Amino acid sequence: MTETGKSVPKWHAAGDWFDTCKCNVPCPCSFAQPPTYGDCEGVLAWHVREGRYGDVPLDGLNVLMLGSFVGNVWAGHSDAYAAVFLDERADDAQREALQMIFGGQAGSWPAEMISMFGAEMRGMDFAPIEVQVDEDLGGWKATVPGRVEASAMALTGPTTPDGARVQSTNLPGSETGPGQIATWGRATADRADAFGFHWSREGQSSKHITFDWSGPT
């Protein structure tokens, strides 16, 4: 049972998560270290490749968050703020499911992350969210037209084999929880103009991490 008294059905959601942020490459937050400049802000996007909340299908739906904080997000931090966009294509049952899962009320990793992050919410909206992730993880992109744009190309360098990806396992601070694989990138766009968040930059850190959650436990 949740705090609202609603029973949470068995659910599962798996897919792609990525961010674009203020930190230098690679973002220290994923290594459970303080951010490059002492604070961090950025765009976080989730694409549900396959998911179900009880009998409600969630395949193909998107969620996007704007967030900021000061300090080490995994340890002592302050001034944490967030705002969330939920996929406007979702019907009423899907909207409730997304709010339960990503709001932490349905348990699993989102509940743990929200408990640790403890952000003050600046707002929520249902909006058109476009998310693209290359099958070979060569790049990824998310937009809320006129309000948010986040895109990145996979990180490469003079000793990276053609087509290979720079990846990490067992990150000390994996934003999607334990056991996931991270692919590092560099942002080609990181812009926000919504809910009091305003920034525009490129060339800073980005990473793609898979997610695979099941609840309500």
mmCIF file with all atom_site columns, all heavy atoms in Angstrom, residues 184-195:
data_model
loop_
_atom_site.group_PDB
_atom_site.id
_atom_site.type_symbol
_atom_site.label_atom_id
_atom_site.label_alt_id
_atom_site.label_comp_id
_atom_site.label_asym_id
_atom_site.label_entity_id
_atom_site.label_seq_id
_atom_site.pdbx_PDB_ins_code
_atom_site.Cartn_x
_atom_site.Cartn_y
_atom_site.Cartn_z
_atom_site.occupancy
_atom_site.B_iso_or_equiv
_atom_site.pdbx_formal_charge
_atom_site.auth_seq_id
_atom_site.auth_comp_id
_atom_site.auth_asym_id
_atom_site.auth_atom_id
_atom_site.pdbx_PDB_model_num
ATOM 1  N N   . TRP A 1 184 ? 29.545 6.642  -22.202 1.00 0.00 ? 184 TRP A N   1
ATOM 2  C CA  . TRP A 1 184 ? 29.895 8.046  -22.031 1.00 0.00 ? 184 TRP A CA  1
ATOM 3  C C   . TRP A 1 184 ? 29.797 8.820  -23.333 1.00 0.00 ? 184 TRP A C   1
ATOM 4  O O   . TRP A 1 184 ? 30.111 8.312  -24.408 1.00 0.00 ? 184 TRP A O   1
ATOM 5  C CB  . TRP A 1 184 ? 31.306 8.161  -21.442 1.00 0.00 ? 184 TRP A CB  1
ATOM 6  C CG  . TRP A 1 184 ? 31.338 7.664  -20.044 1.00 0.00 ? 184 TRP A CG  1
ATOM 7  C CD1 . TRP A 1 184 ? 31.680 6.406  -19.616 1.00 0.00 ? 184 TRP A CD1 1
ATOM 8  C CD2 . TRP A 1 184 ? 30.951 8.386  -18.879 1.00 0.00 ? 184 TRP A CD2 1
ATOM 9  N NE1 . TRP A 1 184 ? 31.533 6.304  -18.259 1.00 0.00 ? 184 TRP A NE1 1
ATOM 10 C CE2 . TRP A 1 184 ? 31.085 7.501  -17.774 1.00 0.00 ? 184 TRP A CE2 1
ATOM 11 C CE3 . TRP A 1 184 ? 30.497 9.684  -18.651 1.00 0.00 ? 184 TRP A CE3 1
ATOM 12 C CZ2 . TRP A 1 184 ? 30.782 7.887  -16.473 1.00 0.00 ? 184 TRP A CZ2 1
ATOM 13 C CZ3 . TRP A 1 184 ? 30.197 10.068 -17.352 1.00 0.00 ? 184 TRP A CZ3 1
ATOM 14 C CH2 . TRP A 1 184 ? 30.349 9.174  -16.281 1.00 0.00 ? 184 TRP A CH2 1
ATOM 15 N N   . GLY A 1 185 ? 29.370 10.083 -23.202 1.00 0.00 ? 185 GLY A N   1
ATOM 16 C CA  . GLY A 1 185 ? 29.251 10.948 -24.366 1.00 0.00 ? 185 GLY A CA  1
ATOM 17 C C   . GLY A 1 185 ? 29.620 12.382 -24.028 1.00 0.00 ? 185 GLY A C   1
ATOM 18 O O   . GLY A 1 185 ? 29.980 12.714 -22.891 1.00 0.00 ? 185 GLY A O   1
ATOM 19 N N   . ARG A 1 186 ? 29.526 13.219 -25.038 1.00 0.00 ? 186 ARG A N   1
ATOM 20 C CA  . ARG A 1 186 ? 29.740 14.659 -24.865 1.00 0.00 ? 186 ARG A CA  1
ATOM 21 C C   . ARG A 1 186 ? 28.520 15.383 -25.441 1.00 0.00 ? 186 ARG A C   1
ATOM 22 O O   . ARG A 1 186 ? 28.095 15.082 -26.557 1.00 0.00 ? 186 ARG A O   1
ATOM 23 C CB  . ARG A 1 186 ? 31.015 15.108 -25.580 1.00 0.00 ? 186 ARG A CB  1
ATOM 24 C CG  . ARG A 1 186 ? 31.370 16.580 -25.329 1.00 0.00 ? 186 ARG A CG  1
ATOM 25 C CD  . ARG A 1 186 ? 32.634 16.981 -26.068 1.00 0.00 ? 186 ARG A CD  1
ATOM 26 N NE  . ARG A 1 186 ? 33.787 16.215 -25.638 1.00 0.00 ? 186 ARG A NE  1
ATOM 27 C CZ  . ARG A 1 186 ? 34.510 16.479 -24.550 1.00 0.00 ? 186 ARG A CZ  1
ATOM 28 N NH1 . ARG A 1 186 ? 34.186 17.514 -23.787 1.00 0.00 ? 186 ARG A NH1 1
ATOM 29 N NH2 . ARG A 1 186 ? 35.561 15.747 -24.250 1.00 0.00 ? 186 ARG A NH2 1
ATOM 30 N N   . ALA A 1 187 ? 27.965 16.306 -24.672 1.00 0.00 ? 187 ALA A N   1
ATOM 31 C CA  . ALA A 1 187 ? 26.734 16.977 -25.085 1.00 0.00 ? 187 ALA A CA  1
ATOM 32 C C   . ALA A 1 187 ? 26.964 17.872 -26.295 1.00 0.00 ? 187 ALA A C   1
ATOM 33 O O   . ALA A 1 187 ? 27.934 18.627 -26.357 1.00 0.00 ? 187 ALA A O   1
ATOM 34 C CB  . ALA A 1 187 ? 26.172 17.789 -23.928 1.00 0.00 ? 187 ALA A CB  1
ATOM 35 N N   . THR A 1 188 ? 26.051 17.787 -27.247 1.00 0.00 ? 188 THR A N   1
ATOM 36 C CA  . THR A 1 188 ? 26.041 18.703 -28.380 1.00 0.00 ? 188 THR A CA  1
ATOM 37 C C   . THR A 1 188 ? 24.999 19.803 -28.179 1.00 0.00 ? 188 THR A C   1
ATOM 38 O O   . THR A 1 188 ? 25.019 20.818 -28.872 1.00 0.00 ? 188 THR A O   1
ATOM 39 C CB  . THR A 1 188 ? 25.749 17.947 -29.691 1.00 0.00 ? 188 THR A CB  1
ATOM 40 O OG1 . THR A 1 188 ? 24.557 17.170 -29.534 1.00 0.00 ? 188 THR A OG1 1
ATOM 41 C CG2 . THR A 1 188 ? 26.904 17.008 -30.023 1.00 0.00 ? 188 THR A CG2 1
ATOM 42 N N   . ALA A 1 189 ? 24.084 19.583 -27.241 1.00 0.00 ? 189 ALA A N   1
ATOM 43 C CA  . ALA A 1 189 ? 23.113 20.616 -26.848 1.00 0.00 ? 189 ALA A CA  1
ATOM 44 C C   . ALA A 1 189 ? 22.634 20.305 -25.439 1.00 0.00 ? 189 ALA A C   1
ATOM 45 O O   . ALA A 1 189 ? 22.430 19.148 -25.085 1.00 0.00 ? 189 ALA A O   1
ATOM 46 C CB  . ALA A 1 189 ? 21.928 20.653 -27.805 1.00 0.00 ? 189 ALA A CB  1
ATOM 47 N N   . ASP A 1 190 ? 22.505 21.332 -24.638 1.00 0.00 ? 190 ASP A N   1
ATOM 48 C CA  . ASP A 1 190 ? 22.001 21.198 -23.267 1.00 0.00 ? 190 ASP A CA  1
ATOM 49 C C   . ASP A 1 190 ? 21.336 22.517 -22.923 1.00 0.00 ? 190 ASP A C   1
ATOM 50 O O   . ASP A 1 190 ? 21.984 23.446 -22.454 1.00 0.00 ? 190 ASP A O   1
ATOM 51 C CB  . ASP A 1 190 ? 23.153 20.877 -22.309 1.00 0.00 ? 190 ASP A CB  1
ATOM 52 C CG  . ASP A 1 190 ? 22.685 20.721 -20.868 1.00 0.00 ? 190 ASP A CG  1
ATOM 53 O OD1 . ASP A 1 190 ? 21.456 20.648 -20.639 1.00 0.00 ? 190 ASP A OD1 1
ATOM 54 O OD2 . ASP A 1 190 ? 23.548 20.670 -19.967 1.00 0.00 ? 190 ASP A OD2 1
ATOM 55 N N   . ARG A 1 191 ? 20.024 22.594 -23.212 1.00 0.00 ? 191 ARG A N   1
ATOM 56 C CA  . ARG A 1 191 ? 19.306 23.852 -23.045 1.00 0.00 ? 191 ARG A CA  1
ATOM 57 C C   . ARG A 1 191 ? 18.002 23.633 -22.301 1.00 0.00 ? 191 ARG A C   1
ATOM 58 O O   . ARG A 1 191 ? 17.299 22.648 -22.529 1.00 0.00 ? 191 ARG A O   1
ATOM 59 C CB  . ARG A 1 191 ? 19.028 24.498 -24.409 1.00 0.00 ? 191 ARG A CB  1
ATOM 60 C CG  . ARG A 1 191 ? 20.269 25.020 -25.101 1.00 0.00 ? 191 ARG A CG  1
ATOM 61 C CD  . ARG A 1 191 ? 19.909 25.840 -26.328 1.00 0.00 ? 191 ARG A CD  1
ATOM 62 N NE  . ARG A 1 191 ? 19.573 24.984 -27.454 1.00 0.00 ? 191 ARG A NE  1
ATOM 63 C CZ  . ARG A 1 191 ? 20.476 24.485 -28.299 1.00 0.00 ? 191 ARG A CZ  1
ATOM 64 N NH1 . ARG A 1 191 ? 21.772 24.739 -28.114 1.00 0.00 ? 191 ARG A NH1 1
ATOM 65 N NH2 . ARG A 1 191 ? 20.099 23.734 -29.303 1.00 0.00 ? 191 ARG A NH2 1
ATOM 66 N N   . ALA A 1 192 ? 17.687 24.571 -21.418 1.00 0.00 ? 192 ALA A N   1
ATOM 67 C CA  . ALA A 1 192 ? 16.432 24.523 -20.672 1.00 0.00 ? 192 ALA A CA  1
ATOM 68 C C   . ALA A 1 192 ? 15.892 25.932 -20.476 1.00 0.00 ? 192 ALA A C   1
ATOM 69 O O   . ALA A 1 192 ? 16.653 26.865 -20.213 1.00 0.00 ? 192 ALA A O   1
ATOM 70 C CB  . ALA A 1 192 ? 16.646 23.857 -19.318 1.00 0.00 ? 192 ALA A CB  1
ATOM 71 N N   . ASP A 1 193 ? 14.593 26.063 -20.613 1.00 0.00 ? 193 ASP A N   1
ATOM 72 C CA  . ASP A 1 193 ? 13.906 27.323 -20.345 1.00 0.00 ? 193 ASP A CA  1
ATOM 73 C C   . ASP A 1 193 ? 12.502 26.965 -19.874 1.00 0.00 ? 193 ASP A C   1
ATOM 74 O O   . ASP A 1 193 ? 11.523 27.073 -20.618 1.00 0.00 ? 193 ASP A O   1
ATOM 75 C CB  . ASP A 1 193 ? 13.864 28.186 -21.603 1.00 0.00 ? 193 ASP A CB  1
ATOM 76 C CG  . ASP A 1 193 ? 13.280 29.570 -21.331 1.00 0.00 ? 193 ASP A CG  1
ATOM 77 O OD1 . ASP A 1 193 ? 13.089 29.920 -20.143 1.00 0.00 ? 193 ASP A OD1 1
ATOM 78 O OD2 . ASP A 1 193 ? 12.990 30.294 -22.311 1.00 0.00 ? 193 ASP A OD2 1
ATOM 79 N N   . ALA A 1 194 ? 12.407 26.523 -18.614 1.00 0.00 ? 194 ALA A N   1
ATOM 80 C CA  . ALA A 1 194 ? 11.132 26.061 -18.071 1.00 0.00 ? 194 ALA A CA  1
ATOM 81 C C   . ALA A 1 194 ? 11.208 25.971 -16.555 1.00 0.00 ? 194 ALA A C   1
ATOM 82 O O   . ALA A 1 194 ? 12.264 25.639 -16.001 1.00 0.00 ? 194 ALA A O   1
ATOM 83 C CB  . ALA A 1 194 ? 10.766 24.689 -18.646 1.00 0.00 ? 194 ALA A CB  1
ATOM 84 N N   . PHE A 1 195 ? 10.098 26.268 -15.885 1.00 0.00 ? 195 PHE A N   1
ATOM 85 C CA  . PHE A 1 195 ? 9.973  26.115 -14.438 1.00 0.00 ? 195 PHE A CA  1
ATOM 86 C C   . PHE A 1 195 ? 11.086 26.827 -13.657 1.00 0.00 ? 195 PHE A C   1
ATOM 87 O O   . PHE A 1 195 ? 11.516 26.361 -12.604 1.00 0.00 ? 195 PHE A O   1
ATOM 88 C CB  . PHE A 1 195 ? 9.959  24.635 -14.052 1.00 0.00 ? 195 PHE A CB  1
ATOM 89 C CG  . PHE A 1 195 ? 8.777  23.874 -14.582 1.00 0.00 ? 195 PHE A CG  1
ATOM 90 C CD1 . PHE A 1 195 ? 8.938  22.903 -15.555 1.00 0.00 ? 195 PHE A CD1 1
ATOM 91 C CD2 . PHE A 1 195 ? 7.493  24.139 -14.110 1.00 0.00 ? 195 PHE A CD2 1
ATOM 92 C CE1 . PHE A 1 195 ? 7.837  22.200 -16.045 1.00 0.00 ? 195 PHE A CE1 1
ATOM 93 C CE2 . PHE A 1 195 ? 6.393  23.435 -14.589 1.00 0.00 ? 195 PHE A CE2 1
ATOM 94 C CZ  . PHE A 1 195 ? 6.569  22.462 -15.565 1.00 0.00 ? 195 PHE A CZ  1
#
